[in-house]
PDB file of all heavy atoms in Angstrom:
ATOM      1  N   ILE A  16      -6.229   5.459  -0.425  1.00 98.00           N
ATOM      2  CA  ILE A  16      -7.194   6.134  -1.175  1.00 98.00           C
ATOM      3  C   ILE A  16      -8.287   5.132  -1.588  1.00 98.00           C
ATOM      4  O   ILE A  16      -7.979   4.083  -2.172  1.00 98.00           O
ATOM      5  CB  ILE A  16      -6.518   6.691  -2.478  1.00 98.00           C
ATOM      6  CG1 ILE A  16      -5.428   7.692  -2.144  1.00 98.00           C
ATOM      7  CG2 ILE A  16      -7.573   7.369  -3.414  1.00 98.00           C
ATOM      8  CD1 ILE A  16      -4.605   8.165  -3.312  1.00 98.00           C
ATOM      9  N   PRO A  17      -9.579   5.404  -1.261  1.00 98.00           N
ATOM     10  CA  PRO A  17     -10.613   4.567  -1.706  1.00 98.00           C
ATOM     11  C   PRO A  17     -10.726   4.487  -3.193  1.00 98.00           C
ATOM     12  O   PRO A  17     -10.742   5.549  -3.866  1.00 98.00           O
ATOM     13  CB  PRO A  17     -11.860   5.238  -1.112  1.00 98.00           C
ATOM     14  CG  PRO A  17     -11.351   5.987   0.067  1.00 98.00           C
ATOM     15  CD  PRO A  17     -10.020   6.510  -0.389  1.00 98.00           C
ATOM     16  N   VAL A  18     -10.767   3.253  -3.779  1.00 98.00           N
ATOM     17  CA  VAL A  18     -10.717   3.126  -5.203  1.00 98.00           C
ATOM     18  C   VAL A  18     -11.732   1.901  -5.523  1.00 98.00           C
ATOM     19  O   VAL A  18     -12.238   1.276  -4.676  1.00 98.00           O
ATOM     20  CB  VAL A  18      -9.325   2.775  -5.798  1.00 98.00           C
ATOM     21  CG1 VAL A  18      -8.363   3.899  -5.586  1.00 98.00           C
ATOM     22  CG2 VAL A  18      -8.796   1.477  -5.144  1.00 98.00           C
ATOM     23  N   SER A  19     -11.910   1.746  -6.855  1.00 97.00           N
ATOM     24  CA  SER A  19     -12.606   0.511  -7.335  1.00 97.00           C
ATOM     25  C   SER A  19     -11.808  -0.144  -8.414  1.00 97.00           C
ATOM     26  O   SER A  19     -11.025   0.578  -9.166  1.00 97.00           O
ATOM     27  CB  SER A  19     -14.034   0.924  -7.871  1.00 97.00           C
ATOM     28  OG  SER A  19     -13.931   1.741  -8.969  1.00 97.00           O
ATOM     29  N   PHE A  20     -11.883  -1.453  -8.475  1.00 97.00           N
ATOM     30  CA  PHE A  20     -11.160  -2.206  -9.489  1.00 97.00           C
ATOM     31  C   PHE A  20     -12.040  -3.323  -9.999  1.00 97.00           C
ATOM     32  O   PHE A  20     -12.493  -4.173  -9.288  1.00 97.00           O
ATOM     33  CB  PHE A  20      -9.895  -2.891  -8.841  1.00 97.00           C
ATOM     34  CG  PHE A  20      -9.140  -3.823  -9.753  1.00 97.00           C
ATOM     35  CD1 PHE A  20      -8.337  -3.274 -10.818  1.00 97.00           C
ATOM     36  CD2 PHE A  20      -9.165  -5.187  -9.541  1.00 97.00           C
ATOM     37  CE1 PHE A  20      -7.674  -4.099 -11.685  1.00 97.00           C
ATOM     38  CE2 PHE A  20      -8.446  -6.017 -10.382  1.00 97.00           C
ATOM     39  CZ  PHE A  20      -7.695  -5.488 -11.469  1.00 97.00           C
ATOM     40  N   ARG A  21     -12.441  -3.176 -11.278  1.00 95.00           N
ATOM     41  CA  ARG A  21     -13.317  -4.056 -11.944  1.00 95.00           C
ATOM     42  C   ARG A  21     -14.596  -4.218 -11.111  1.00 95.00           C
ATOM     43  O   ARG A  21     -15.103  -5.387 -10.920  1.00 95.00           O
ATOM     44  CB  ARG A  21     -12.635  -5.440 -12.213  1.00 95.00           C
ATOM     45  CG  ARG A  21     -11.438  -5.311 -13.123  1.00 95.00           C
ATOM     46  CD  ARG A  21     -10.663  -6.606 -13.243  1.00 95.00           C
ATOM     47  NE  ARG A  21      -9.486  -6.469 -14.096  1.00 95.00           N
ATOM     48  CZ  ARG A  21      -8.514  -7.342 -14.163  1.00 95.00           C
ATOM     49  NH1 ARG A  21      -8.554  -8.482 -13.521  1.00 95.00           N
ATOM     50  NH2 ARG A  21      -7.501  -7.115 -15.003  1.00 95.00           N
ATOM     51  N   GLY A  22     -15.106  -3.129 -10.650  1.00 94.00           N
ATOM     52  CA  GLY A  22     -16.360  -3.125  -9.891  1.00 94.00           C
ATOM     53  C   GLY A  22     -16.281  -3.443  -8.433  1.00 94.00           C
ATOM     54  O   GLY A  22     -17.273  -3.386  -7.728  1.00 94.00           O
ATOM     55  N   ARG A  23     -15.125  -3.751  -7.924  1.00 96.00           N
ATOM     56  CA  ARG A  23     -14.979  -4.056  -6.501  1.00 96.00           C
ATOM     57  C   ARG A  23     -14.304  -2.867  -5.866  1.00 96.00           C
ATOM     58  O   ARG A  23     -13.302  -2.381  -6.304  1.00 96.00           O
ATOM     59  CB  ARG A  23     -14.074  -5.285  -6.360  1.00 96.00           C
ATOM     60  CG  ARG A  23     -14.717  -6.603  -6.821  1.00 96.00           C
ATOM     61  CD  ARG A  23     -13.901  -7.848  -6.495  1.00 96.00           C
ATOM     62  NE  ARG A  23     -12.575  -7.698  -7.170  1.00 96.00           N
ATOM     63  CZ  ARG A  23     -11.413  -7.839  -6.499  1.00 96.00           C
ATOM     64  NH1 ARG A  23     -11.363  -7.999  -5.262  1.00 96.00           N
ATOM     65  NH2 ARG A  23     -10.266  -7.806  -7.223  1.00 96.00           N
ATOM     66  N   ARG A  24     -14.804  -2.466  -4.659  1.00 96.00           N
ATOM     67  CA  ARG A  24     -14.331  -1.366  -3.919  1.00 96.00           C
ATOM     68  C   ARG A  24     -13.254  -1.804  -2.951  1.00 96.00           C
ATOM     69  O   ARG A  24     -13.338  -2.846  -2.375  1.00 96.00           O
ATOM     70  CB  ARG A  24     -15.440  -0.662  -3.210  1.00 96.00           C
ATOM     71  CG  ARG A  24     -16.428   0.066  -4.041  1.00 96.00           C
ATOM     72  CD  ARG A  24     -17.423   0.887  -3.269  1.00 96.00           C
ATOM     73  NE  ARG A  24     -18.341   1.658  -4.105  1.00 96.00           N
ATOM     74  CZ  ARG A  24     -19.234   2.445  -3.677  1.00 96.00           C
ATOM     75  NH1 ARG A  24     -19.381   2.624  -2.349  1.00 96.00           N
ATOM     76  NH2 ARG A  24     -20.045   3.104  -4.536  1.00 96.00           N
ATOM     77  N   GLY A  25     -12.202  -0.985  -2.901  1.00 97.00           N
ATOM     78  CA  GLY A  25     -11.080  -1.306  -1.964  1.00 97.00           C
ATOM     79  C   GLY A  25     -10.269  -0.037  -1.729  1.00 97.00           C
ATOM     80  O   GLY A  25     -10.767   1.054  -1.836  1.00 97.00           O
ATOM     81  N   GLY A  26      -9.023  -0.284  -1.265  1.00 98.00           N
ATOM     82  CA  GLY A  26      -8.172   0.810  -0.913  1.00 98.00           C
ATOM     83  C   GLY A  26      -6.764   0.704  -1.621  1.00 98.00           C
ATOM     84  O   GLY A  26      -6.205  -0.384  -1.657  1.00 98.00           O
ATOM     85  N   TYR A  27      -6.305   1.808  -2.136  1.00 98.00           N
ATOM     86  CA  TYR A  27      -5.003   1.889  -2.800  1.00 98.00           C
ATOM     87  C   TYR A  27      -4.074   2.599  -1.833  1.00 98.00           C
ATOM     88  O   TYR A  27      -4.282   3.718  -1.471  1.00 98.00           O
ATOM     89  CB  TYR A  27      -5.055   2.613  -4.118  1.00 98.00           C
ATOM     90  CG  TYR A  27      -3.707   2.966  -4.754  1.00 98.00           C
ATOM     91  CD1 TYR A  27      -2.865   1.929  -5.154  1.00 98.00           C
ATOM     92  CD2 TYR A  27      -3.281   4.277  -4.889  1.00 98.00           C
ATOM     93  CE1 TYR A  27      -1.624   2.277  -5.686  1.00 98.00           C
ATOM     94  CE2 TYR A  27      -2.035   4.598  -5.439  1.00 98.00           C
ATOM     95  CZ  TYR A  27      -1.189   3.576  -5.839  1.00 98.00           C
ATOM     96  OH  TYR A  27       0.020   3.869  -6.338  1.00 98.00           O
ATOM     97  N   THR A  28      -2.966   1.914  -1.452  1.00 98.00           N
ATOM     98  CA  THR A  28      -1.977   2.504  -0.522  1.00 98.00           C
ATOM     99  C   THR A  28      -1.084   3.420  -1.343  1.00 98.00           C
ATOM    100  O   THR A  28      -0.269   2.946  -2.148  1.00 98.00           O
ATOM    101  CB  THR A  28      -1.168   1.483   0.158  1.00 98.00           C
ATOM    102  OG1 THR A  28      -2.111   0.570   0.867  1.00 98.00           O
ATOM    103  CG2 THR A  28      -0.244   2.082   1.207  1.00 98.00           C
ATOM    104  N   HIS A  29      -1.135   4.702  -1.042  1.00 98.00           N
ATOM    105  CA  HIS A  29      -0.411   5.685  -1.825  1.00 98.00           C
ATOM    106  C   HIS A  29       0.976   5.967  -1.237  1.00 98.00           C
ATOM    107  O   HIS A  29       1.920   6.123  -1.969  1.00 98.00           O
ATOM    108  CB  HIS A  29      -1.232   7.015  -1.748  1.00 98.00           C
ATOM    109  CG  HIS A  29      -0.481   8.221  -2.331  1.00 98.00           C
ATOM    110  ND1 HIS A  29       0.009   8.247  -3.560  1.00 98.00           N
ATOM    111  CD2 HIS A  29      -0.244   9.437  -1.765  1.00 98.00           C
ATOM    112  CE1 HIS A  29       0.574   9.390  -3.783  1.00 98.00           C
ATOM    113  NE2 HIS A  29       0.435  10.154  -2.658  1.00 98.00           N
ATOM    114  N   CYS A  30       1.104   5.999   0.117  1.00 98.00           N
ATOM    115  CA  CYS A  30       2.466   6.235   0.738  1.00 98.00           C
ATOM    116  C   CYS A  30       2.423   5.708   2.093  1.00 98.00           C
ATOM    117  O   CYS A  30       1.392   5.689   2.743  1.00 98.00           O
ATOM    118  CB  CYS A  30       2.858   7.682   0.643  1.00 98.00           C
ATOM    119  SG  CYS A  30       1.820   8.792   1.563  1.00 98.00           S
ATOM    120  N   MET A  31       3.637   5.316   2.609  1.00 98.00           N
ATOM    121  CA  MET A  31       3.760   4.866   3.974  1.00 98.00           C
ATOM    122  C   MET A  31       5.091   5.281   4.533  1.00 98.00           C
ATOM    123  O   MET A  31       6.078   5.276   3.872  1.00 98.00           O
ATOM    124  CB  MET A  31       3.634   3.314   4.049  1.00 98.00           C
ATOM    125  CG  MET A  31       2.355   2.721   3.408  1.00 98.00           C
ATOM    126  SD  MET A  31       2.261   0.928   3.530  1.00 98.00           S
ATOM    127  CE  MET A  31       1.557   0.784   5.167  1.00 98.00           C
ATOM    128  N   PHE A  32       5.071   5.599   5.874  1.00 98.00           N
ATOM    129  CA  PHE A  32       6.343   5.875   6.572  1.00 98.00           C
ATOM    130  C   PHE A  32       6.371   5.162   7.921  1.00 98.00           C
ATOM    131  O   PHE A  32       5.373   5.118   8.637  1.00 98.00           O
ATOM    132  CB  PHE A  32       6.360   7.445   6.823  1.00 98.00           C
ATOM    133  CG  PHE A  32       6.332   8.280   5.567  1.00 98.00           C
ATOM    134  CD1 PHE A  32       5.065   8.629   5.054  1.00 98.00           C
ATOM    135  CD2 PHE A  32       7.448   8.606   4.914  1.00 98.00           C
ATOM    136  CE1 PHE A  32       5.006   9.360   3.881  1.00 98.00           C
ATOM    137  CE2 PHE A  32       7.412   9.384   3.761  1.00 98.00           C
ATOM    138  CZ  PHE A  32       6.174   9.767   3.211  1.00 98.00           C
ATOM    139  N   LEU A  33       7.469   4.539   8.202  1.00 98.00           N
ATOM    140  CA  LEU A  33       7.589   3.703   9.439  1.00 98.00           C
ATOM    141  C   LEU A  33       9.009   3.676   9.895  1.00 98.00           C
ATOM    142  O   LEU A  33       9.942   4.136   9.248  1.00 98.00           O
ATOM    143  CB  LEU A  33       7.057   2.281   9.157  1.00 98.00           C
ATOM    144  CG  LEU A  33       7.738   1.470   8.094  1.00 98.00           C
ATOM    145  CD1 LEU A  33       7.548  -0.002   8.322  1.00 98.00           C
ATOM    146  CD2 LEU A  33       7.125   1.745   6.675  1.00 98.00           C
ATOM    147  N   ASN A  34       9.161   3.100  11.118  1.00 98.00           N
ATOM    148  CA  ASN A  34      10.393   3.204  11.828  1.00 98.00           C
ATOM    149  C   ASN A  34      11.012   1.793  12.110  1.00 98.00           C
ATOM    150  O   ASN A  34      11.593   1.572  13.199  1.00 98.00           O
ATOM    151  CB  ASN A  34      10.249   3.944  13.153  1.00 98.00           C
ATOM    152  CG  ASN A  34       9.144   3.323  14.054  1.00 98.00           C
ATOM    153  OD1 ASN A  34       8.526   2.320  13.680  1.00 98.00           O
ATOM    154  ND2 ASN A  34       8.897   3.968  15.198  1.00 98.00           N
ATOM    155  N   ASP A  35      10.869   0.877  11.098  1.00 97.00           N
ATOM    156  CA  ASP A  35      11.327  -0.535  11.361  1.00 97.00           C
ATOM    157  C   ASP A  35      11.868  -1.086  10.090  1.00 97.00           C
ATOM    158  O   ASP A  35      11.172  -1.270   9.110  1.00 97.00           O
ATOM    159  CB  ASP A  35      10.107  -1.363  11.854  1.00 97.00           C
ATOM    160  CG  ASP A  35      10.491  -2.751  12.197  1.00 97.00           C
ATOM    161  OD1 ASP A  35      11.299  -2.985  13.132  1.00 97.00           O
ATOM    162  OD2 ASP A  35       9.956  -3.706  11.559  1.00 97.00           O
ATOM    163  N   GLU A  36      13.152  -1.416  10.075  1.00 97.00           N
ATOM    164  CA  GLU A  36      13.799  -1.867   8.836  1.00 97.00           C
ATOM    165  C   GLU A  36      13.289  -3.167   8.238  1.00 97.00           C
ATOM    166  O   GLU A  36      13.005  -3.322   7.074  1.00 97.00           O
ATOM    167  CB  GLU A  36      15.338  -1.968   9.050  1.00 97.00           C
ATOM    168  CG  GLU A  36      16.169  -2.162   7.762  1.00 97.00           C
ATOM    169  CD  GLU A  36      16.317  -3.579   7.304  1.00 97.00           C
ATOM    170  OE1 GLU A  36      16.202  -4.425   8.168  1.00 97.00           O
ATOM    171  OE2 GLU A  36      16.510  -3.771   6.095  1.00 97.00           O
ATOM    172  N   PRO A  37      13.054  -4.278   9.082  1.00 97.00           N
ATOM    173  CA  PRO A  37      12.474  -5.470   8.528  1.00 97.00           C
ATOM    174  C   PRO A  37      11.179  -5.265   7.850  1.00 97.00           C
ATOM    175  O   PRO A  37      10.922  -5.829   6.773  1.00 97.00           O
ATOM    176  CB  PRO A  37      12.390  -6.422   9.726  1.00 97.00           C
ATOM    177  CG  PRO A  37      13.414  -5.869  10.647  1.00 97.00           C
ATOM    178  CD  PRO A  37      13.413  -4.427  10.532  1.00 97.00           C
ATOM    179  N   ALA A  38      10.278  -4.410   8.448  1.00 98.00           N
ATOM    180  CA  ALA A  38       8.968  -4.171   7.878  1.00 98.00           C
ATOM    181  C   ALA A  38       9.120  -3.382   6.589  1.00 98.00           C
ATOM    182  O   ALA A  38       8.294  -3.539   5.658  1.00 98.00           O
ATOM    183  CB  ALA A  38       8.096  -3.500   8.902  1.00 98.00           C
ATOM    184  N   ILE A  39      10.019  -2.444   6.518  1.00 98.00           N
ATOM    185  CA  ILE A  39      10.253  -1.698   5.309  1.00 98.00           C
ATOM    186  C   ILE A  39      10.726  -2.625   4.199  1.00 98.00           C
ATOM    187  O   ILE A  39      10.175  -2.627   3.098  1.00 98.00           O
ATOM    188  CB  ILE A  39      11.283  -0.537   5.447  1.00 98.00           C
ATOM    189  CG1 ILE A  39      10.709   0.539   6.406  1.00 98.00           C
ATOM    190  CG2 ILE A  39      11.680   0.093   4.132  1.00 98.00           C
ATOM    191  CD1 ILE A  39      11.734   1.579   6.772  1.00 98.00           C
ATOM    192  N   ALA A  40      11.743  -3.467   4.456  1.00 98.00           N
ATOM    193  CA  ALA A  40      12.296  -4.359   3.448  1.00 98.00           C
ATOM    194  C   ALA A  40      11.291  -5.378   2.989  1.00 98.00           C
ATOM    195  O   ALA A  40      11.050  -5.613   1.839  1.00 98.00           O
ATOM    196  CB  ALA A  40      13.536  -5.040   3.959  1.00 98.00           C
ATOM    197  N   GLY A  41      10.618  -6.027   3.997  1.00 97.00           N
ATOM    198  CA  GLY A  41       9.610  -7.060   3.615  1.00 97.00           C
ATOM    199  C   GLY A  41       8.397  -6.461   2.971  1.00 97.00           C
ATOM    200  O   GLY A  41       7.912  -7.051   1.953  1.00 97.00           O
ATOM    201  N   GLY A  42       7.960  -5.346   3.400  1.00 98.00           N
ATOM    202  CA  GLY A  42       6.745  -4.755   2.762  1.00 98.00           C
ATOM    203  C   GLY A  42       7.040  -4.368   1.355  1.00 98.00           C
ATOM    204  O   GLY A  42       6.163  -4.552   0.476  1.00 98.00           O
ATOM    205  N   ARG A  43       8.147  -3.786   1.066  1.00 97.00           N
ATOM    206  CA  ARG A  43       8.475  -3.394  -0.319  1.00 97.00           C
ATOM    207  C   ARG A  43       8.720  -4.630  -1.175  1.00 97.00           C
ATOM    208  O   ARG A  43       8.230  -4.700  -2.351  1.00 97.00           O
ATOM    209  CB  ARG A  43       9.748  -2.493  -0.357  1.00 97.00           C
ATOM    210  CG  ARG A  43       9.453  -1.120   0.277  1.00 97.00           C
ATOM    211  CD  ARG A  43      10.721  -0.329   0.480  1.00 97.00           C
ATOM    212  NE  ARG A  43      11.401  -0.018  -0.809  1.00 97.00           N
ATOM    213  CZ  ARG A  43      11.396   1.108  -1.396  1.00 97.00           C
ATOM    214  NH1 ARG A  43      10.732   2.137  -0.870  1.00 97.00           N
ATOM    215  NH2 ARG A  43      12.062   1.355  -2.502  1.00 97.00           N
ATOM    216  N   GLU A  44       9.533  -5.594  -0.726  1.00 97.00           N
ATOM    217  CA  GLU A  44       9.935  -6.737  -1.574  1.00 97.00           C
ATOM    218  C   GLU A  44       8.862  -7.746  -1.785  1.00 97.00           C
ATOM    219  O   GLU A  44       8.683  -8.268  -2.903  1.00 97.00           O
ATOM    220  CB  GLU A  44      11.127  -7.416  -0.941  1.00 97.00           C
ATOM    221  CG  GLU A  44      12.423  -6.478  -0.918  1.00 97.00           C
ATOM    222  CD  GLU A  44      13.566  -7.102  -0.124  1.00 97.00           C
ATOM    223  OE1 GLU A  44      13.469  -8.323   0.220  1.00 97.00           O
ATOM    224  OE2 GLU A  44      14.574  -6.430   0.092  1.00 97.00           O
TER     225      GLU A  44
END
């Protein structure tokens, strides 16, 4: 989702789905 934070524009990741356990564990942790 396009957002702004303290005047800077960026993106907020709302949800993700993938098929790889290391990437799930590493991404979350």
Side-chain angles (χ1 to χ4, degrees):
I16 300 170
V18 296
S19 61
F20 176 70
R21 298 173 182 168
R23 295 184 297 125
R24 292 187 176 183
Y27 169 67
T28 303
H29 171 55
C30 65
M31 305 181 85
F32 301 88
L33 59 155
N34 55 3
D35 183 63
E36 192 273 335
I39 292 174
R43 290 170 65 103
E44 294 173 9

